[in-house]
Coordinates of all heavy atoms in Angstrom, one line a residue:
M1 N 123.8 116.3 103.1 CA 122.9 115.1 103.6 C 121.9 114.8 102.6 O 121.0 115.5 102.2 CB 122.2 115.6 104.9 CG 123.1 115.5 106.1 SD 123.5 113.9 106.7 CE 122.0 113.4 107.5
G2 N 121.9 113.6 102.1 CA 120.9 113.1 101.1 C 119.8 112.4 101.9 O 119.9 112.1 103.1
F3 N 118.7 112.2 101.2 CA 117.5 111.7 101.8 C 117.8 110.2 102.3 O 117.3 109.8 103.3 CB 116.4 111.6 100.8 CG 115.1 111.1 101.3 CD1 114.2 111.9 102.0 CD2 114.8 109.8 101.2 CE1 113.0 111.4 102.5 CE2 113.6 109.2 101.7 CZ 112.7 110.1 102.4
W4 N 118.7 109.5 101.6 CA 118.9 108.1 101.9 C 120.0 107.9 102.8 O 120.3 106.7 103.1 CB 119.0 107.3 100.6 CG 117.9 107.5 99.7 CD1 117.8 108.3 98.6 CD2 116.6 106.9 99.8 NE1 116.5 108.2 98.0 CE2 115.8 107.3 98.8 CE3 116.0 106.0 100.8 CZ2 114.5 106.9 98.6 CZ3 114.7 105.6 100.6 CH2 113.9 106.1 99.5
D5 N 120.7 108.9 103.3 CA 121.8 108.7 104.2 C 121.3 107.9 105.4 O 120.3 108.2 106.0 CB 122.3 110.1 104.7 CG 123.1 110.8 103.6 OD1 123.3 110.2 102.5 OD2 123.5 112.0 103.8
N6 N 122.1 106.9 105.8 CA 121.9 106.1 106.9 C 120.6 105.2 106.8 O 120.1 104.7 107.8 CB 121.8 106.9 108.2 CG 123.1 107.6 108.5 OD1 124.2 107.0 108.3 ND2 123.1 108.9 108.8
E7 N 120.1 105.2 105.6 CA 118.9 104.3 105.4 C 119.5 102.9 104.9 O 120.5 102.8 104.2 CB 118.0 104.8 104.3 CG 117.3 106.1 104.7 CD 116.2 105.8 105.8 OE1 115.6 104.7 105.8 OE2 115.9 106.7 106.5
H8 N 118.8 101.9 105.3 CA 119.2 100.5 104.9 C 118.1 99.8 104.3 O 116.9 100.0 104.6 CB 119.8 99.8 106.2 CG 121.1 100.3 106.6 ND1 121.1 101.4 107.5 CD2 122.3 99.9 106.3 CE1 122.4 101.6 107.7 NE2 123.2 100.8 107.0
C9 N 118.5 98.9 103.4 CA 117.6 98.1 102.6 C 116.7 97.2 103.5 O 117.2 96.6 104.4 CB 118.4 97.2 101.6 SG 117.3 96.1 100.6
E10 N 115.4 97.2 103.2 CA 114.5 96.3 104.0 C 114.6 94.8 103.7 O 114.2 94.0 104.5 CB 113.1 96.8 103.9 CG 112.5 96.7 102.5 CD 111.1 97.2 102.4 OE1 111.0 98.5 102.2 OE2 110.1 96.5 102.6
Y11 N 115.3 94.5 102.6 CA 115.5 93.1 102.3 C 116.8 92.5 102.8 O 116.9 91.5 103.3 CB 115.3 92.9 100.8 CG 114.0 93.4 100.3 CD1 113.9 94.6 99.5 CD2 112.8 92.7 100.5 CE1 112.7 95.0 99.1 CE2 111.6 93.1 100.1 CZ 111.5 94.3 99.4 OH 110.3 94.8 99.0
C12 N 117.9 93.3 102.4 CA 119.2 92.7 102.8 C 120.0 93.5 103.7 O 121.1 93.2 104.0 CB 120.0 92.5 101.5 SG 120.7 94.0 100.8
K13 N 119.4 94.6 104.2 CA 120.1 95.5 105.2 C 121.3 96.2 104.6 O 122.1 96.8 105.3 CB 120.5 94.8 106.5 CG 119.4 94.0 107.1 CD 118.3 94.9 107.7 CE 117.2 94.0 108.2 NZ 115.9 94.8 108.1
G14 N 121.4 96.2 103.3 CA 122.5 96.9 102.6 C 122.3 98.4 102.7 O 121.2 98.9 103.0
L15 N 123.4 99.1 102.4 CA 123.3 100.6 102.4 C 122.6 101.1 101.2 O 122.9 100.6 100.1 CB 124.8 101.1 102.5 CG 125.0 102.6 102.9 CD1 124.5 102.8 104.4 CD2 126.4 103.0 102.7
I16 N 121.8 102.1 101.4 CA 121.1 102.7 100.2 C 121.8 104.0 99.8 O 122.1 104.9 100.6 CB 119.6 103.0 100.6 CG1 118.9 101.7 100.8 CG2 119.0 103.7 99.4 CD1 117.5 101.8 101.4
V17 N 122.1 104.1 98.5 CA 122.8 105.3 98.0 C 121.9 105.9 96.9 O 121.1 105.3 96.3 CB 124.1 105.0 97.3 CG1 125.2 104.6 98.4 CG2 124.0 104.0 96.2
E18 N 121.9 107.3 96.8 CA 121.1 107.9 95.9 C 121.7 108.0 94.5 O 122.9 108.2 94.4 CB 120.8 109.4 96.3 CG 119.8 110.1 95.4 CD 119.1 111.3 95.9 OE1 118.9 111.3 97.1 OE2 118.9 112.2 95.1
K19 N 120.9 107.7 93.5 CA 121.3 107.7 92.1 C 120.2 108.3 91.3 O 119.0 108.1 91.6 CB 121.7 106.3 91.6 CG 123.1 105.9 91.9 CD 123.4 104.6 91.2 CE 124.8 104.2 91.6 NZ 125.1 102.8 91.2
I20 N 120.6 108.9 90.1 CA 119.6 109.3 89.2 C 119.4 108.2 88.1 O 120.4 107.8 87.5 CB 120.1 110.6 88.5 CG1 120.3 111.7 89.6 CG2 119.0 111.1 87.5 CD1 119.1 112.1 90.4
V21 N 118.2 107.8 88.0 CA 118.0 106.6 87.1 C 116.9 107.0 86.0 O 116.2 108.0 86.1 CB 117.5 105.4 87.9 CG1 118.6 105.0 88.9 CG2 116.2 105.6 88.6
D22 N 116.9 106.1 85.0 CA 115.8 106.2 84.0 C 114.8 105.1 84.4 O 115.2 103.9 84.6 CB 116.3 106.0 82.6 CG 117.2 107.1 82.1 OD1 117.1 108.2 82.8 OD2 118.0 106.9 81.2
L23 N 113.6 105.4 84.4 CA 112.6 104.5 84.9 C 111.6 104.1 83.8 O 110.7 105.0 83.4 CB 111.8 105.1 86.1 CG 110.7 104.3 86.8 CD1 111.3 103.1 87.5 CD2 110.0 105.2 87.8
P24 N 111.6 102.9 83.3 CA 110.6 102.5 82.3 C 109.3 102.1 83.0 O 109.4 101.4 84.0 CB 111.3 101.3 81.6 CG 112.4 100.9 82.4 CD 112.6 101.8 83.5
R25 N 108.2 102.5 82.5 CA 106.9 102.2 83.1 C 106.0 101.8 82.0 O 105.9 102.4 81.0 CB 106.4 103.4 83.8 CG 106.8 103.5 85.3 CD 106.2 102.3 86.1 NE 106.7 102.3 87.4 CZ 106.1 102.9 88.5 NH1 104.9 103.5 88.3 NH2 106.6 102.8 89.7
K26 N 105.2 100.7 82.3 CA 104.1 100.3 81.4 C 102.8 101.1 81.7 O 102.4 101.0 82.9 CB 103.9 98.8 81.4 CG 103.0 98.3 80.3 CD 103.1 96.8 80.2 CE 102.4 96.3 78.9 NZ 101.1 95.8 79.2
V27 N 102.3 101.8 80.7 CA 101.1 102.5 81.0 C 100.1 102.0 80.0 O 100.2 102.3 78.8 CB 101.3 104.0 80.8 CG1 100.0 104.8 81.1 CG2 102.4 104.5 81.7
G28 N 99.1 101.3 80.4 CA 98.2 100.6 79.5 C 98.9 99.7 78.5 O 99.6 98.8 79.0
Q29 N 98.9 100.0 77.2 CA 99.6 99.1 76.3 C 100.9 99.7 75.9 O 101.6 99.2 75.1 CB 98.7 99.0 75.0 CG 97.4 98.2 75.2 CD 97.6 96.8 75.7 OE1 98.4 96.0 75.1 NE2 97.1 96.5 76.9
K30 N 101.2 100.9 76.5 CA 102.4 101.6 76.0 C 103.5 101.6 77.1 O 103.2 101.5 78.3 CB 102.1 103.0 75.7 CG 101.4 103.2 74.4 CD 101.3 104.6 74.0 CE 100.3 105.4 74.9 NZ 100.0 106.7 74.4
Y31 N 104.7 101.7 76.7 CA 105.8 101.9 77.6 C 106.3 103.3 77.6 O 106.4 103.9 76.5 CB 107.0 101.0 77.3 CG 106.8 99.6 77.8 CD1 106.2 98.6 76.9 CD2 107.1 99.2 79.1 CE1 106.0 97.3 77.4 CE2 106.9 97.9 79.5 CZ 106.3 97.0 78.7 OH 106.1 95.7 79.1
I32 N 106.5 103.9 78.7 CA 107.1 105.2 78.8 C 108.4 105.2 79.5 O 108.6 104.3 80.3 CB 106.1 106.3 79.4 CG1 105.8 105.9 80.9 CG2 104.8 106.3 78.6 CD1 105.1 107.0 81.6
L33 N 109.2 106.1 79.2 CA 110.5 106.2 79.9 C 110.6 107.5 80.7 O 110.5 108.6 80.1 CB 111.7 106.0 78.9 CG 113.0 106.0 79.6 CD1 113.2 104.7 80.3 CD2 114.1 106.1 78.5
I34 N 110.7 107.4 82.0 CA 110.9 108.7 82.7 C 112.3 108.8 83.1 O 112.9 108.0 83.8 CB 110.0 108.6 84.0 CG1 108.5 108.3 83.6 CG2 110.1 109.9 84.8 CD1 107.6 107.9 84.8
K35 N 112.9 109.9 82.6 CA 114.4 110.1 82.8 C 114.6 111.0 84.1 O 113.8 111.7 84.5 CB 115.0 110.7 81.6 CG 115.0 109.8 80.4 CD 115.5 110.5 79.2 CE 117.0 110.7 79.2 NZ 117.8 109.4 78.9
N36 N 115.9 110.8 84.5 CA 116.3 111.7 85.7 C 115.5 111.5 86.9 O 115.1 112.5 87.6 CB 116.4 113.2 85.2 CG 117.3 113.4 84.0 OD1 118.3 112.8 83.9 ND2 116.8 114.1 83.1
V37 N 115.2 110.3 87.3 CA 114.4 110.0 88.5 C 115.4 109.8 89.6 O 116.3 108.9 89.6 CB 113.5 108.8 88.3 CG1 112.8 108.5 89.5 CG2 112.6 109.0 87.1
P38 N 115.3 110.6 90.7 CA 116.2 110.3 91.8 C 115.6 109.1 92.6 O 114.5 109.0 93.0 CB 116.0 111.6 92.7 CG 114.9 112.3 92.1 CD 114.4 111.7 90.9
A39 N 116.5 108.1 92.8 CA 116.1 106.9 93.5 C 117.1 106.5 94.5 O 118.3 106.9 94.4 CB 116.0 105.7 92.5
G40 N 116.7 105.8 95.5 CA 117.7 105.2 96.5 C 117.9 103.8 96.0 O 117.0 103.0 95.8
I41 N 119.2 103.4 95.8 CA 119.5 102.1 95.4 C 120.3 101.3 96.4 O 121.3 101.9 96.9 CB 120.2 102.2 94.0 CG1 119.3 102.9 93.0 CG2 120.6 100.8 93.5 CD1 119.8 102.9 91.6
C42 N 119.9 100.1 96.7 CA 120.6 99.3 97.7 C 121.9 98.8 97.0 O 121.9 98.3 95.9 CB 119.7 98.1 98.1 SG 120.6 96.9 99.1
K43 N 123.0 99.0 97.8 CA 124.3 98.6 97.3 C 124.4 97.1 97.3 O 125.2 96.5 96.7 CB 125.4 99.2 98.2 CG 125.8 100.6 97.8 CD 126.9 101.0 98.7 CE 127.9 102.0 97.9 NZ 129.0 102.4 98.8
G44 N 123.6 96.4 98.2 CA 123.6 95.0 98.3 C 122.9 94.3 97.2 O 123.5 93.5 96.5
C45 N 121.6 94.5 97.1 CA 120.8 93.7 96.2 C 120.2 94.5 95.0 O 119.5 94.0 94.2 CB 119.6 93.1 97.0 SG 118.4 94.2 97.6
G46 N 120.4 95.8 95.0 CA 120.0 96.6 93.9 C 118.6 97.1 93.9 O 118.1 97.7 92.9
T47 N 117.8 96.8 95.0 CA 116.5 97.2 95.1 C 116.4 98.7 95.0 O 117.2 99.4 95.6 CB 115.8 96.7 96.4 OG1 115.9 95.3 96.4 CG2 114.4 97.2 96.6
R48 N 115.4 99.2 94.3 CA 115.2 100.7 94.1 C 114.1 101.2 95.1 O 113.1 100.5 95.2 CB 114.9 101.0 92.7 CG 116.0 100.8 91.7 CD 115.5 101.2 90.4 NE 116.7 101.1 89.4 CZ 116.6 101.5 88.1 NH1 115.4 102.0 87.7 NH2 117.6 101.5 87.3
Y49 N 114.4 102.3 95.7 CA 113.4 102.9 96.6 C 113.2 104.3 96.0 O 114.1 105.0 95.6 CB 113.9 103.0 98.0 CG 114.1 101.7 98.6 CD1 115.4 101.0 98.5 CD2 113.1 101.0 99.3 CE1 115.6 99.8 99.1 CE2 113.3 99.8 99.9 CZ 114.5 99.2 99.8 OH 114.7 97.9 100.3
Y50 N 111.9 104.8 96.2 CA 111.6 106.1 95.7 C 110.9 106.8 96.9 O 110.1 106.3 97.6 CB 110.6 106.1 94.5 CG 111.2 105.3 93.4 CD1 110.9 103.9 93.2 CD2 112.1 105.8 92.5 CE1 111.4 103.2 92.1 CE2 112.7 105.1 91.5 CZ 112.3 103.8 91.3 OH 112.9 103.1 90.3
T51 N 111.1 108.1 96.9 CA 110.5 108.9 98.0 C 109.0 109.2 97.6 O 108.7 109.1 96.4 CB 111.1 110.3 98.2 OG1 111.0 111.0 96.9 CG2 112.6 110.2 98.5
A52 N 108.2 109.5 98.5 CA 106.8 109.7 98.3 C 106.6 110.8 97.3 O 105.7 110.8 96.4 CB 106.1 110.1 99.6
N53 N 107.4 111.9 97.3 CA 107.3 113.0 96.4 C 107.7 112.6 95.0 O 107.0 113.0 94.0 CB 108.3 114.1 96.9 CG 108.0 115.4 96.1 OD1 106.9 115.8 96.0 ND2 109.1 116.0 95.7
V54 N 108.7 111.7 94.8 CA 109.1 111.2 93.5 C 107.9 110.4 92.9 O 107.6 110.5 91.8 CB 110.4 110.5 93.6 CG1 110.6 109.6 92.3 CG2 111.6 111.4 93.8
L55 N 107.4 109.5 93.8 CA 106.3 108.7 93.4 C 105.1 109.5 92.9 O 104.4 109.1 91.9 CB 105.9 107.7 94.5 CG 106.9 106.6 94.8 CD1 106.4 105.8 96.0 CD2 107.0 105.6 93.6
K56 N 104.8 110.6 93.6 CA 103.7 111.5 93.2 C 104.0 112.1 91.9 O 103.1 112.1 91.0 CB 103.6 112.6 94.3 CG 102.2 113.1 94.4 CD 102.1 114.1 95.6 CE 102.7 115.4 95.2 NZ 102.7 116.4 96.3
N57 N 105.2 112.5 91.6 CA 105.6 113.1 90.3 C 105.4 112.0 89.2 O 104.9 112.3 88.1 CB 107.0 113.6 90.3 CG 107.0 115.0 91.0 OD1 106.1 115.8 90.9 ND2 108.1 115.2 91.8
I58 N 105.9 110.8 89.5 CA 105.7 109.7 88.5 C 104.3 109.5 88.2 O 103.9 109.4 87.0 CB 106.4 108.4 89.0 CG1 107.9 108.6 89.1 CG2 106.1 107.2 88.2 CD1 108.7 107.6 89.8
E59 N 103.5 109.5 89.2 CA 102.0 109.3 89.1 C 101.4 110.3 88.2 O 100.6 110.1 87.3 CB 101.4 109.3 90.5 CG 100.0 108.8 90.5 CD 99.9 107.3 90.4 OE1 100.9 106.6 90.3 OE2 98.8 106.8 90.4
M60 N 101.8 111.6 88.4 CA 101.3 112.7 87.6 C 101.7 112.5 86.1 O 100.9 112.8 85.2 CB 101.9 114.0 88.1 CG 101.0 114.6 89.2 SD 101.8 116.0 90.0 CE 101.6 117.2 88.6
I61 N 102.9 112.1 85.8 CA 103.4 111.9 84.5 C 102.5 110.8 83.8 O 102.0 110.9 82.7 CB 104.9 111.5 84.4 CG1 105.7 112.8 84.8 CG2 105.3 110.9 83.1 CD1 107.2 112.5 85.0
I62 N 102.3 109.7 84.6 CA 101.6 108.5 84.0 C 100.1 108.9 83.7 O 99.6 108.5 82.8 CB 101.7 107.4 85.0 CG1 103.1 106.8 85.0 CG2 100.6 106.3 84.7 CD1 103.4 105.8 86.0
K63 N 99.6 109.8 84.6 CA 98.2 110.2 84.3 C 98.1 111.3 83.2 O 97.0 111.8 82.9 CB 97.6 110.7 85.6 CG 97.2 109.6 86.6 CD 96.7 110.2 87.9 CE 96.3 109.0 88.8 NZ 96.2 109.5 90.2
G64 N 99.2 111.6 82.6 CA 99.2 112.5 81.5 C 99.1 113.9 81.8 O 98.7 114.7 81.0
R65 N 99.4 114.3 83.0 CA 99.2 115.7 83.4 C 100.4 116.6 83.0 O 100.4 117.8 83.0 CB 99.0 115.9 84.9 CG 97.7 115.3 85.3 CD 97.2 115.8 86.6 NE 96.1 115.0 87.0 CZ 95.9 114.4 88.2 NH1 96.9 114.5 89.1 NH2 94.9 113.7 88.5
R66 N 101.5 115.8 82.6 CA 102.6 116.6 82.1 C 102.9 116.2 80.6 O 102.7 115.0 80.3 CB 103.9 116.3 82.9 CG 104.0 117.1 84.2 CD 105.3 116.9 84.9 NE 106.4 117.1 84.0 CZ 107.7 116.8 84.3 NH1 107.9 116.3 85.5 NH2 108.6 117.0 83.5
K67 N 103.3 117.1 79.8 CA 103.5 116.9 78.4 C 104.9 116.2 78.3 O 105.8 116.5 79.0 CB 103.6 118.2 77.7 CG 103.3 118.2 76.2 CD 103.1 119.6 75.7 CE 102.9 119.5 74.2 NZ 104.1 119.2 73.4
A68 N 104.9 115.2 77.4 CA 106.2 114.5 77.2 C 107.2 115.4 76.6 O 106.9 116.2 75.8 CB 105.9 113.3 76.3
E69 N 108.5 115.2 77.1 CA 109.6 115.9 76.6 C 109.9 115.6 75.1 O 110.1 116.4 74.3 CB 110.8 115.6 77.4 CG 112.0 116.5 77.3 CD 113.0 116.0 78.4 OE1 112.8 116.3 79.5 OE2 114.0 115.4 78.0
R70 N 109.9 114.3 74.8 CA 110.0 113.8 73.4 C 109.5 112.4 73.4 O 109.4 111.7 74.4 CB 111.4 114.0 72.9 CG 112.4 113.1 73.6 CD 113.8 113.6 73.4 NE 114.7 113.0 74.4 CZ 115.5 112.0 74.1 NH1 115.6 111.4 72.9 NH2 116.3 111.5 75.0
K71 N 109.3 111.9 72.2 CA 108.8 110.5 72.0 C 109.9 109.8 71.3 O 110.4 110.2 70.3 CB 107.5 110.5 71.3 CG 106.3 111.0 72.1 CD 105.0 110.9 71.4 CE 103.9 111.4 72.3 NZ 102.6 111.6 71.6
I72 N 110.2 108.6 71.8 CA 111.2 107.7 71.1 C 110.5 106.4 70.8 O 109.6 105.9 71.6 CB 112.4 107.5 71.9 CG1 112.1 107.0 73.3 CG2 113.2 108.8 72.1 CD1 113.3 106.5 74.1
P73 N 110.9 105.8 69.7 CA 110.3 104.4 69.4 C 110.9 103.4 70.4 O 112.0 103.5 70.8 CB 110.7 104.1 68.0 CG 111.7 105.2 67.6 CD 111.8 106.2 68.7
M74 N 110.1 102.5 70.8 CA 110.6 101.5 71.8 C 110.3 100.1 71.2 O 109.2 99.8 70.7 CB 109.9 101.6 73.1 CG 110.6 100.9 74.2 SD 109.9 101.3 75.8 CE 111.3 101.7 76.7
V75 N 111.3 99.3 71.2 CA 111.2 97.9 70.6 C 110.7 97.0 71.7 O 111.3 97.0 72.9 CB 112.6 97.4 70.1 CG1 112.5 96.1 69.5 CG2 113.1 98.4 69.1
V76 N 109.7 96.2 71.4 CA 109.1 95.3 72.4 C 109.2 93.9 72.0 O 109.0 93.5 70.8 CB 107.6 95.7 72.6 CG1 107.0 94.8 73.7 CG2 107.5 97.1 73.0
Y77 N 109.7 93.0 72.8 CA 109.8 91.6 72.6 C 108.8 90.8 73.5 O 108.6 91.2 74.6 CB 111.2 91.1 72.8 CG 112.2 91.7 71.9 CD1 113.0 92.8 72.3 CD2 112.5 91.1 70.7 CE1 113.9 93.3 71.5 CE2 113.5 91.7 69.8 CZ 114.2 92.8 70.3 OH 115.1 93.4 69.5
S78 N 108.4 89.7 73.0 CA 107.6 88.7 73.8 C 108.3 87.4 73.8 O 108.9 87.0 72.8 CB 106.2 88.6 73.3 OG 105.5 89.8 73.4
L79 N 108.3 86.7 74.9 CA 108.8 85.3 74.9 C 107.7 84.3 74.6 O 106.6 84.5 74.9 CB 109.4 85.0 76.2 CG 110.7 85.7 76.6 CD1 111.2 85.2 77.9 CD2 111.8 85.4 75.5
Ligands
ZN1 ZN1 119.2 95.2 99.6

């Protein structure tokens, strides 16, 4: 039983399935990439959902309480 079993999207009522994703986040002027994030993804519209616990972990990473695994250069474009 996964966390998202029998959960449905609040926008399109589609089925939500759990997937491990990479999550890019903008922190101040920098972008960070958080890998291996468990997310619930709507099969209908692709909206991502995160559990409270996952959000808490993301928050901790963003606040710099965890050391980065590695740093990679990121290319940024503006329109
Ligand atoms: Zn949806």
Side-chain angles (χ1 to χ4, degrees):
M1 282 289 281
F3 182 87
W4 301 103
D5 287 355
N6 300 314
E7 292 288 330
H8 290 85
C9 178
E10 63 185 85
Y11 301 106
C12 75
K13 308 292 174 210
L15 196 66
I16 296 173
V17 292
E18 182 163 327
K19 273 190 185 164
I20 303 298
V21 299
D22 292 343
L23 181 67
R25 270 296 173 95
K26 191 166 190 260
V27 182
Q29 296 299 305
K30 286 189 292 190
Y31 281 92
I32 63 169
L33 185 68
I34 306 168
K35 292 176 72 78
N36 303 316
V37 179
I41 301 187
C42 171
K43 277 183 146 178
C45 67
T47 299
R48 290 177 175 190
Y49 296 90
Y50 304 99
T51 63
N53 193 45
V54 165
L55 288 174
K56 208 173 79 185
N57 282 324
I58 291 169
E59 193 74 2
M60 276 173 66
I61 288 170
I62 288 171
K63 284 178 180 162
R65 294 201 187 124
R66 277 187 53 189
K67 203 167 178 289
E69 194 174 284
R70 65 197 163 102
K71 289 182 181 172
I72 56 169
M74 197 172 229
V75 181
V76 181
Y77 296 97
S78 296
L79 286 183

